[in-house]
Amino acid sequence: MEKRMANVEKDMATNMGAVVIMETHMKNMGNRMANVERNTTDMDGKLEAVNNEVRKLKTAFVDGFDEMKNVLVKMDKTEENPRKVKNTASGDKENIIVAGGQRTNSVEMFNWRQRTWSPLQLLPEKRFGAISFVYNNYLTIAGGYSCWSTEIFDDNLLIVGGRTTTSCSNSLSSVVLYDVRKNECQQSLAPLPYEISEMATVRWGDNIVVIGGRDKRRKALDTDIICNDNTEQSYFLTAMRCKRWKCAAVVIENNIVVLGGENEQGARKSVEAFNFERYAWLELSEMSQARDWHTAVVV
């Protein structure tokens, strides 16, 4: 019995040692769990801070976009000049008419809602590099061939880039303002970031957007520059899906639509749109035929 009792006491001592070791492990585990909880709390705080910053950025972007849309619809406050051009969005207009281009007198129309193209009556003669506008339900197409682009701002024409000869090496980066009433030109905004010609332009609020084109080394561009008439500052939009020059562009709803043009493979059928809400370029249905130096309007 004494031997057995001695063995029992020995086993109990061994078990007590194991209990002490287990308690130590449990204590260490508790410390680790406390550290994990503290780290988790820190991570939650950091994550919440990041989420707050993201929410602030989203709010700032939405506010900036709303402000841009507000300046797009600019009403005249005086009637002293009946020729004053109002700055309006496309409103309920949902069709884009594309006409002419090099080697063609065809006309076709793109329905923005249905995303479909349909042919229209041919032009009486082929013409390219023309301008077009809609007045009193009439689409007028005039002139032809030009290497610079213009957009009208109230009583002023803003003339962007272009070149002094037929060579791209003589392209310009200057922006000139022509005052229709005074019949005079003057240097307007700060120069563009580079010399450019054979591009498309559209007006977006108090901004002129310069799309594609070629630089003075004849390099095709996929860039898009927004130049503000008031702040005299410019910045780049996201690059287009493809490089193109001699293209046409229009504004419809919250989109800038770029149609056709030319690249190293020749004239293009492709159409893409920059959506300001998504801040990205989206591919649209192609035209029925490739076009360059064509004209386009929204009706």
Side-chain angles (χ1 to χ4, degrees):
M1 288 296 292
E2 289 177 354
K3 289 181 179 180
R4 289 180 180 177
M5 289 297 294
N7 289 333
V8 169
E9 290 177 355
K10 184 178 180 181
D11 290 341
M12 288 182 65
T14 302
N15 291 337
M16 287 299 295
V19 170
V20 171
I21 293 173
M22 181 64 71
E23 289 177 347
T24 302
H25 284 313
M26 292 296 293
K27 183 177 181 180
N28 292 335
M29 183 65 71
N31 292 335
R32 291 176 182 174
M33 290 297 294
N35 291 333
V36 169
E37 290 178 356
R38 283 195 296 271
N39 292 336
T40 301
T41 302
D42 292 341
M43 287 298 295
D44 289 341
K46 292 178 181 179
L47 183 59
E48 182 62 25
V50 171
N51 288 335
N52 288 336
E53 289 299 321
V54 171
R55 283 192 287 269
K56 289 179 182 178
L57 289 174
K58 287 183 177 179
T59 301
F61 178 79
V62 171
D63 291 344
F65 178 70
D66 289 340
E67 183 178 353
M68 186 175 290
K69 288 196 295 186
N70 288 335
V71 299
L72 187 61
V73 185
K74 179 182 177 184
M75 303 302 293
D76 291 336
K77 295 182 180 180
T78 63
E79 298 180 356
E80 60 187 15
N81 183 8
R83 296 185 297 110
K84 199 169 187 179
V85 178
K86 295 182 180 179
N87 180 19
T88 59
S90 58
D92 58 353
K93 298 176 182 178
E94 59 179 29
N95 296 299
I96 302 173
I97 294 180
V98 181
Q102 292 196 85
R103 302 169 296 277
T104 181
N105 63 339
S106 68
V107 182
E108 53 187 313
M109 183 171 66
F110 181 73
N111 184 277
W112 181 254
R113 308 291 180 204
Q114 300 176 3
R115 297 292 200 271
T116 55
W117 286 96
S118 56
L120 298 180
Q121 183 178 352
L122 298 177
L123 294 174
E125 61 181 39
K126 297 179 181 179
R127 65 173 69 217
F128 63 95
I131 62 169
S132 58
F133 60 90
V134 177
Y135 182 73
N136 284 346
N137 293 325
Y138 283 91
L139 168 60
T140 300
I141 300 175
Y145 192 72
S146 175
C147 290
W148 42 259
S149 296
T150 63
E151 292 296 330
I152 190 164
F153 286 77
D154 298 330
D155 288 315
N156 300 309
L157 285 175
L158 207 60
I159 305 171
V160 181
R163 58 195 191 212
T164 56
T165 69
T166 57
S167 173
C168 286
S169 61
N170 294 310
S171 295
L172 303 171
S173 62
S174 59
V175 180
V176 176
L177 187 72
Y178 172 68
D179 191 311
V180 177
R181 288 182 296 178
K182 296 180 180 179
N183 190 28
E184 63 182 23
C185 286
Q186 61 184 30
Q187 197 75 23
S188 180
L189 306 180
L192 300 174
Y194 44 76
E195 296 84 359
I196 187 172
S197 63
E198 298 182 334
M199 66 290 196
T201 62
V202 293
R203 180 182 177 181
W204 181 267
D206 289 331
N207 306 284
I208 184 170
V209 186
V210 182
I211 304 162
R214 290 197 289 184
D215 63 16
K216 66 178 183 179
R217 297 178 180 84
R218 299 180 61 84
K219 178 183 177 183
L221 303 172
D222 57 4
T223 52
D224 309 282
I225 314 168
I226 287 189
C227 306
N228 188 276
D229 185 39
N230 294 325
T231 63
E232 297 192 5
Q233 294 180 343
S234 61
Y235 64 92
F236 288 91
L237 293 177
T238 304
M240 288 187 292
R241 300 169 66 90
C242 65
K243 299 177 180 179
R244 61 179 84 212
W245 69 88
K246 300 180 183 178
C247 52
V250 296
V251 171
I252 186 167
E253 295 183 354
N254 297 323
N255 304 273
I256 297 176
V257 182
V258 183
L259 309 103
E262 187 177 333
N263 64 9
E264 289 79 2
Q265 285 74 45
R268 302 182 59 85
K269 296 180 181 179
S270 67
V271 180
E272 55 184 308
F274 182 82
N275 183 275
F276 278 92
E277 293 179 344
R278 299 185 183 182
Y279 211 79
W281 287 95
L282 310 173
E283 189 172 3
L284 300 179
S285 302
E286 291 185 341
M287 297 180 289
S288 64
Q289 70 175 87
R291 298 177 188 273
D292 55 358
W293 277 134
H294 49 297
T295 186
V297 292
V298 175
V299 296

